């Protein structure tokens, strides 16, 4: 009896490893095929579209890709500006708001926090029409500010920062700063922000990545091709211009994914820890 | 000596002002604006002036009767359900495996990194990558089918409605099960370890422990996952829009793609799109409140009721006792 359960336990363990390895391969294989095909010629891809080894047509694919309206450098720079701006606004002002809620005892504190909880679930996409009309009236389409400034009000991040501060903030530190004659704003910038660094780092990664990947609002607001972000550039690959240039299409996709891969594999430890932390919102 | 009368409370207001202002300008005002546009005749590229319609609900009536909108609602629901059920199922299974006390699975960190990876990659890129992978007549999936002898000639996979929907559901599943798994594992690690020890001492099997200890304690986190996934699913845009642009035959048209197409292509029907947005807004709000209601902490409510009941009885007994005196 005991022996039998031991054998079935070992069998189950083998099954677990097989399933996990299968899923791991499933995560990699589409990207692997993509990267390999980026180095292959259209003719090779037409013969057999799966190859686990690279070929030597990378340069000719680069020439085809850049010969048309796809401009990864412009997309990269624009996405970089928007994502950096969004991230800075979101983490700084969310920390400030959270500190305002935690450190000071003001009359509307509790109602304000309840309000933040209530608006946390409201998706921004359903109000996009009004937002577009508003921005259009201000003549601010094809401007990055309407994509950056809304990040100042990020309810889920305020919630997260508040939870973090509740656990970390010691009011004595603040008081000793006050005794030394520091102003409240100075205390926040010089004492509180450094304390919040771990929380800020996690939130910054996620804000940056989600802003980088965002397609809907930029596609609505940015109509000038000089202002296109990376995801809008990607959407050009779907059009007719690259119809049968398979190698170039795969290369274009690879170019857009590469920065994310690098960031992910450098920071994966923190990202995974951040996902786990963000999920346990209680 | 203590200084008297220094109140810092006003800084609470100061520090929250940027948030409030940004919220009012960039969220609250557009929400109201969208609602108003839903009742007007605002349409046509570059137009911003509008009049309230004689029958203010006309746009809502038209949208609700619009077969494309009805279809897009159905598609969104179908694709979300077909992605969420396997997603939560696989995530729970992996959570049970990875947190088991009897079996230590090695390489968990490595697996987590790979399972989560698709989630951070640009959805737009993934949509076009999969459209290319399933390409016709040249595409890796077609090559695979022919290599394995499953098909003689190339198959036009994405011309089939169900295949197209299925691939989108699969992409969503593939991008999100790793996230759900990591969140659930964090939830299990947050459960009081004494509960697991007690069930082990009582001789519970792994499955019994999972269903009677782990699952009930994960309720809040599963609610969180469900609500966020639902809200995300109802806004699904990038993948359906770029995968097949809603096709074939509108079979992958989601409500967000419908709203986008109404407002920013064809005849630029901002008013109809705004009405459709408001309908979605109401659906999202209703879904999340229903879910919160269903999955609220029943035990706590029961306990409260019991306490109230006991207090009532106690008071009754006291009254009775006093009367007897």
């Amino acid at each position: 009896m005991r022996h039998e359960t031991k054998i079935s336990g070992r069998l189950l363990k083998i099954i677990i490893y097989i399933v996990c390895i299968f899923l791991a391969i499933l995560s990699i294989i589409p990207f692997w095929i993509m990267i390999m095909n980026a180095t292959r010629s259209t003719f090779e891809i037409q013969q057999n579209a799966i190859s686990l080894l690279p070929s030597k047509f990378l340069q000719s694919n680069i020439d085809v890709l850049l010969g048309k309206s796809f401009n990864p450098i412009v997309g990269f720079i624009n996405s970089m500006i928007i994502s950096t701006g969004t991230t800075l606004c979101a983490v700084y002002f969310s920390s400030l708001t959270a500190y305002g809620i935690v450190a000071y005892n003001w009359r509307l504190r509790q109602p304000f926090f309840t309000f933040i909880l209530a608006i946390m679930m409201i998706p921004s996409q359903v109000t996009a029409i009004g937002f577009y009309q508003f921005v259009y009236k201000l003549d601010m389409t094809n401007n990055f500010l309407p994509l950056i400034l809304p990040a100042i009000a990020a309810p889920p991040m305020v919630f997260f920062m508040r939870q973090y501060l509740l656990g970390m903030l010691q009011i004595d530190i603040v008081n000793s700063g006050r005794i030394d004659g520091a102003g409240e704003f100075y205390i926040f910038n010089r004492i509180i922000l450094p304390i919040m660094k771990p929380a800020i780092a996690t939130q910054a990664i996620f804000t940056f990545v989600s802003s980088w990947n965002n397609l809907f609002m930029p596609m609505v607001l940015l109509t000038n091709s000089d202002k296109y972000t990376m995801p809008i550039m990607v959407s050009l690959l779907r059009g007719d211009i690259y119809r049968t240039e398979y190698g170039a299409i795969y290369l274009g996709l690879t170019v857009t994914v590469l920065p994310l891969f690098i960031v992910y594999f450098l920071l994966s430890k923190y990202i995974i820890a951040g996902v786990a932390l963000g999920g346990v919102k209680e | 000596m203590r200084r008297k009368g220094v109140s810092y409370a006003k800084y609470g207001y100061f520090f929250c002002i940027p948030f409030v202002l940004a919220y009012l300008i960039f969220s609250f005002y557009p929400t109201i604006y969208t609602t108003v546009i839903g009742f007007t005749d605002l349409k046509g590229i570059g137009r911003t002036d509008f009049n309230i319609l004689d029958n203010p609900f006309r746009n809502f009536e038209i949208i609700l009767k619009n077969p494309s909108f009805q279809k897009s609602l159905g598609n969104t629901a179908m694709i979300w359900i077909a992605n969420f059920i396997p997603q939560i199922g696989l995530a729970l299974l992996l959570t049970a495996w990875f947190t088991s006390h009897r079996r230590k699975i090695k390489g968990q960190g490595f697996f987590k990194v790979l399972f989560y990876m698709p989630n951070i990659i640009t959805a737009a890129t993934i949509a076009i990558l999969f459209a290319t992978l399933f390409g016709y007549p040249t595409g890796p999936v077609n090559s695979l089918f022919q290599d394995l002898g499953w098909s003689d000639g190339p198959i036009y996979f994405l011309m089939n409605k169900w295949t197209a929907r299925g691939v989108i559901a699969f992409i969503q599943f593939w991008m999100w099960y790793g996230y759900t798994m990591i969140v659930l594992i964090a939830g299990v690690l947050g459960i009081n370890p004494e509960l697991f020890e007690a069930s082990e001492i009582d001789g519970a099997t792994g499955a019994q422990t999972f269903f009677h200890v782990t699952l009930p304690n994960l309720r809040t986190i599963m609610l969180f996952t469900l609500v966020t996934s639902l809200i995300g699913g109802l806004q699904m845009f990038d993948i359906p829009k770029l995968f097949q642009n809603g096709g074939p035959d509108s079979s992958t048209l989601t409500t967000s793609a419908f709203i986008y197409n109404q407002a920013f292509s064809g005849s630029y029907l901002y008013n109809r799109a705004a009405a459709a947005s408001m309908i979605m807004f109401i659906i999202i709000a209703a879904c999340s409140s229903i879910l919160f209601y269903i999955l609220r902490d029943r035990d706590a409510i029961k306990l409260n009721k019991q306490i109230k009941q006991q207090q009532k009885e106690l008071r009754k007994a006291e009254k009775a006792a006093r009367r007897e005196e």
Side-chain angles (χ1 to χ4, degrees):
Chain A
M1 180 74 192
R2 186 113 196 128
H3 189 63
E4 254 172 57
T5 53
K6 219 173 189 179
I7 289 175
S8 71
R10 194 169 293 165
L11 189 69
L12 183 62
K13 207 165 179 180
I14 292 169
I15 293 172
I16 292 175
Y17 280 116
I18 291 173
V19 171
C20 287
I21 290 167
F22 172 76
L23 290 171
I25 292 172
L26 198 63
S27 285
I28 298 170
I29 201 83
F31 299 115
W32 188 260
I33 292 174
M34 172 185 82
I35 295 168
M36 291 307 119
N37 279 350
T39 67
R40 302 171 74 215
S41 71
T42 297
F43 179 72
E44 282 175 326
I45 294 170
Q46 271 167 345
Q47 292 305 305
N48 190 339
I50 301 178
S51 167
L52 298 179
L53 297 169
S55 182
K56 41 191 185 296
F57 291 90
L58 182 61
Q59 189 55 48
S60 74
N61 284 338
I62 291 176
D63 295 339
V64 173
L65 181 69
L66 297 182
K68 311 214 165 132
S69 53
F70 184 85
N71 193 336
I73 310 276
V74 168
F76 187 86
I77 293 170
N78 290 338
S79 282
M80 208 64 183
I81 296 170
I82 295 174
S83 304
T84 310
T86 304
T87 307
L88 290 178
C89 281
V91 294
Y92 185 77
F93 288 103
S94 298
S95 307
L96 187 71
T97 312
Y99 181 66
I101 294 173
V102 173
Y104 302 103
N105 198 359
W106 37 298
R107 192 135 53 94
L108 292 176
R109 172 159 90 157
Q110 199 48 46
F112 182 64
F113 183 63
T114 314
F115 167 72
I116 286 181
L117 286 182
I119 60 176
M120 227 163 81
M121 287 294 186
I122 297 180
S124 62
Q125 223 182 72
V126 294
T127 62
I129 308 296
F131 188 71
Y132 169 77
Q133 283 284 326
F134 169 54
V135 172
Y136 188 86
K137 263 189 176 172
L138 293 174
D139 202 14
M140 297 268 277
T141 54
N142 288 315
N143 187 319
F144 293 155
L145 285 180
L147 292 167
I148 295 174
L149 293 180
I152 293 172
M157 202 192 291
V158 174
F159 181 82
F160 182 90
M161 294 298 191
R162 173 188 173 268
Q163 301 303 92
Y164 186 82
L165 266 181
L166 280 180
M168 297 299 281
L169 183 71
Q170 286 158 331
I171 208 74
D172 292 347
I173 303 176
V174 179
N175 281 334
S176 67
R178 283 172 183 160
I179 290 167
D180 292 342
E184 295 300 302
F185 200 60
Y186 183 90
I187 291 176
F188 171 74
N189 284 327
R190 289 304 165 89
I191 302 175
I192 305 302
L193 274 186
I195 294 176
M196 296 180 75
K197 235 183 221 162
I200 289 175
T202 340
Q203 290 296 307
I205 297 172
F206 287 106
T207 314
F208 191 91
V209 169
S210 70
S211 168
W212 184 276
N213 290 340
N214 190 14
L215 176 70
F216 190 85
M217 267 339 274
M219 199 155 123
V220 168
L221 293 179
L222 307 174
T223 50
N224 187 340
S225 63
D226 295 342
K227 304 282 181 182
Y228 280 179
T229 60
M230 213 57 162
I232 305 180
M233 285 290 173
V234 172
S235 71
L236 297 178
L237 294 172
R238 186 91 183 87
D240 284 336
I241 46 172
Y242 293 104
R243 200 148 194 80
T244 54
E245 294 292 351
Y246 294 111
I249 293 175
Y250 283 112
L251 179 65
L253 294 171
T254 306
V255 167
T256 63
V257 168
L258 230 45
L260 285 169
F261 271 145
I262 294 168
V263 170
Y264 185 61
F265 286 109
L266 286 177
L267 301 176
S268 63
K269 209 174 135 193
Y270 304 97
I271 292 175
I272 302 291
V275 175
L277 211 61
V280 197
K281 278 180 185 163
E282 278 185 271
Chain B
M1 228 176 62
R2 274 183 66 185
R3 267 193 298 174
K4 227 178 95 188
V6 181
S7 166
Y8 293 102
K10 61 173 187 275
Y11 288 99
Y13 291 99
F14 290 163
F15 285 8
C16 294
I17 284 173
F19 178 96
V20 173
L21 279 182
Y23 180 76
L24 288 178
I25 297 169
F26 297 113
S27 285
F28 186 72
Y29 178 63
T31 309
I32 302 298
Y33 205 7
T34 309
T35 317
V36 172
I37 290 171
F39 296 104
T40 67
D41 60 356
L42 181 62
K43 62 182 173 195
I45 186 164
R47 286 270 310 276
T48 51
D49 55 312
F50 52 78
N51 302 300
I52 303 284
L53 293 169
D54 296 335
N55 172 8
F57 292 99
R58 176 125 186 81
N59 290 324
F60 291 86
E61 283 164 13
I62 290 174
I63 285 293
L64 286 172
K65 280 185 196 146
N66 185 325
S68 273
F69 181 71
Q70 291 167 357
K71 203 168 184 192
S72 72
L73 266 180
N75 290 336
T76 310
M78 254 187 280
I79 293 171
W80 182 74
I81 292 169
N83 116 70
F84 189 74
I85 292 173
Q87 178 192 322
I88 195 93
L90 181 63
L92 276 173
L93 185 68
L94 291 170
T95 304
W97 286 348
F98 281 10
T99 56
S100 166
H101 290 270
R102 300 218 177 94
R103 285 178 298 276
K104 292 274 172 276
I105 302 297
K106 279 175 202 145
Q108 284 193 25
F110 170 77
F111 287 130
K112 277 185 196 170
V113 167
L114 285 181
F115 295 173
Y116 181 69
M117 186 183 71
N119 194 278
I120 65 137
I121 306 297
T122 317
T125 306
I126 287 179
I128 292 171
L129 175 60
F130 271 80
T132 319
L133 292 180
F134 282 88
Y136 171 87
T138 309
V141 178
N142 258 319
S143 298
L144 182 74
F145 268 51
Q146 285 167 35
D147 288 350
L148 294 174
W150 291 350
S151 66
D152 298 327
I155 304 172
Y156 206 157
F157 291 105
L158 302 181
M159 274 307 276
N160 183 307
K161 290 181 188 180
W162 290 101
T163 314
R165 278 187 199 126
V167 173
I168 292 185
F170 172 79
I171 297 173
Q172 296 280 349
F173 156 82
W174 177 72
M175 284 179 79
W176 286 95
Y177 80 90
Y179 166 84
T180 307
M181 176 195 81
I182 293 170
V183 169
L184 291 179
I185 288 177
V188 173
L189 296 180
I191 298 172
N192 187 350
E194 281 172 21
L195 287 176
F196 292 111
E197 278 163 30
S199 78
E200 204 165 320
I201 290 167
D202 289 348
T205 64
Q208 282 172 329
T209 310
F210 184 73
F211 283 108
H212 296 287
V213 180
T214 315
L215 268 190
N217 280 296
L218 281 180
R219 198 159 51 197
T220 321
I221 288 169
M222 281 173 66
L223 168 67
F224 167 80
T225 317
L226 189 62
V227 173
T228 46
S229 166
L230 183 66
I231 292 175
L234 285 168
Q235 299 187 79
M236 207 186 321
F237 175 75
D238 304 15
I239 290 176
K241 175 80 184 160
L242 293 183
F243 183 63
Q244 288 292 296
N245 200 7
D249 191 21
S250 311
S251 62
T252 60
L253 185 75
T254 56
T255 46
S256 282
F258 172 84
I259 291 169
Y260 180 89
N261 290 344
Q262 287 276 307
F264 303 108
S265 68
S267 30
Y268 294 83
L269 302 168
Y270 300 118
N271 54 352
R272 303 275 158 78
S277 301
M278 281 303 119
I279 294 168
M280 288 316 291
F281 191 105
I282 292 165
I283 292 174
I284 289 173
C287 286
S288 41
S289 41
I290 289 171
L291 280 173
F292 271 114
Y293 182 75
I294 294 171
L295 287 159
R296 71 196 188 283
D297 200 344
R298 290 212 188 92
D299 296 338
I301 291 165
K302 221 185 263 169
L303 202 72
N304 269 339
K305 258 189 192 160
Q306 267 176 2
I307 292 171
K308 267 187 193 157
Q309 188 73 29
Q310 277 174 353
Q311 282 173 339
K312 227 184 209 173
E313 275 165 20
L314 210 70
R315 248 174 282 152
K316 248 187 206 166
E318 265 178 17
K319 257 186 196 168
R322 239 178 279 157
R323 224 175 283 149
E324 264 173 30
E325 268 175 14

